[in-house]
Amino acid sequence: MTEIANLTSAQISKIAKLIKEKETLQAKIDKIDAELAQSGATSAPKRRGRKPGRKPGRKATGKSGGTRKRGAVKEKILDLLKKSGAEGISVQEIAGKIKSPVRNVHSWFQTTGKKLPGITKVGRAKYTLK
């Protein structure tokens, strides 16, 4: 930034003119804000999103009943597969018993389930543990 001592008289007069214009515009804005306040309207639109001071995050909702400990779904699914025997159990039945959406159970079998040895598909959306 230029030091004040290095400014020319033309630059100083331009700065003074800009400050004067700023003050005039600020006075107009203050007058408009006062009129809006009298009419009951606000000058700023409502903000979208979370309210200031609230922590980000979401509430635990849905069928699952909230957060679960790490690996809890895996344990429950493997337990149900063991109990089902050779005939297997369907994804729909598993979802109902562990209180989880069917699409989540399908996704579990496509990601985690295929990495585990012994889990085999015995029919349409039906799995067993050998």
Side-chain angles (χ1 to χ4, degrees):
M1 187 168 179
T2 317
E3 291 185 34
I4 295 177
N6 296 337
L7 292 176
T8 64
S9 60
Q11 290 172 328
I12 293 174
S13 63
K14 185 174 181 179
I15 290 171
K17 182 181 173 186
L18 289 172
I19 291 172
K20 181 82 170 160
E21 186 178 349
K22 179 185 172 190
E23 290 172 350
T24 305
L25 292 173
Q26 188 62 47
K28 288 180 182 179
I29 290 172
D30 291 341
K31 183 179 176 185
I32 291 170
D33 281 342
E35 289 177 18
L36 285 172
Q38 287 177 350
S39 68
T42 59
S43 61
K46 288 188 177 182
R47 288 185 45 183
R48 295 181 66 185
R50 69 179 176 88
K51 294 181 181 178
R54 290 195 55 158
K55 292 182 181 176
R58 58 182 185 181
K59 295 179 181 179
T61 59
K63 293 182 182 179
S64 66
T67 58
R68 297 178 177 172
K69 77 171 196 176
R70 188 170 175 91
V73 173
K74 178 180 174 181
E75 291 173 8
K76 289 181 180 183
I77 291 176
L78 290 176
D79 186 47
L80 289 170
L81 288 172
K82 286 177 190 172
K83 290 179 183 177
S84 70
E87 68 181 42
I89 187 169
S90 72
V91 171
Q92 185 109 20
E93 292 171 320
I94 293 171
K97 290 183 180 181
I98 67 170
K99 296 182 178 129
S100 181
V102 176
R103 67 183 173 273
N104 290 5
V105 177
H106 274 292
S107 177
W108 186 90
F109 276 106
Q110 295 302 313
T111 55
T112 307
K114 73 178 180 183
K115 296 176 191 172
L116 300 174
I119 294 179
T120 53
K121 191 169 183 175
V122 293
R124 185 172 182 210
K126 200 167 192 178
Y127 294 88
T128 187
L129 184 66
K130 291 187 178 180

